Amino acid sequence: MKNLHTILNEITLLTTNIETNYPELYRSLDENPMTLPDNAHPHMDKIVMKEYLESLKELLEHYLEEEKTKNN
């Protein structure tokens, strides 16, 4: 299983990729419910961060599928 540091690095690389290559998608990250904690002091452990990483991957994958459909 990945350690927290590895997961955080993956999140950083993925968000940087999204910011650089898909700025229109990056702007919507602020609206993504996974990025908005629902309490004042959220507990951020490895499981939560892994879920967030997976949600970013899914978001990008869905976006790319939509773009592919639009362009065909």
Side-chain angles (χ1 to χ4, degrees):
M1 181 173 240
K2 297 177 183 178
N3 65 32
L4 183 57
H5 181 74
T6 302
I7 294 168
L8 291 173
N9 281 338
E10 285 186 48
I11 289 171
T12 300
L13 289 172
L14 185 54
T15 55
T16 301
N17 176 35
I18 292 170
E19 180 181 25
T20 303
N21 298 309
Y22 311 101
E24 61 284 359
L25 179 59
Y26 184 76
R27 286 189 291 274
S28 74
L29 290 181
D30 287 340
E31 300 167 6
N32 183 344
M34 282 298 295
T35 65
L36 303 174
D38 54 352
N39 60 28
H41 303 286
H43 179 70
M44 304 303 265
D45 62 7
K46 186 164 66 170
I47 294 170
V48 171
M49 297 312 290
K50 179 120 175 86
E51 289 173 355
Y52 177 59
L53 174 60
E54 292 306 314
S55 75
L56 286 174
K57 289 177 181 179
E58 290 173 10
L59 182 69
L60 179 57
E61 183 179 327
H62 180 70
Y63 176 80
L64 292 174
E65 286 175 9
E66 283 184 353
E67 288 300 305
K68 184 178 177 181
T69 302
K70 285 181 189 177
N71 294 326
N72 285 334

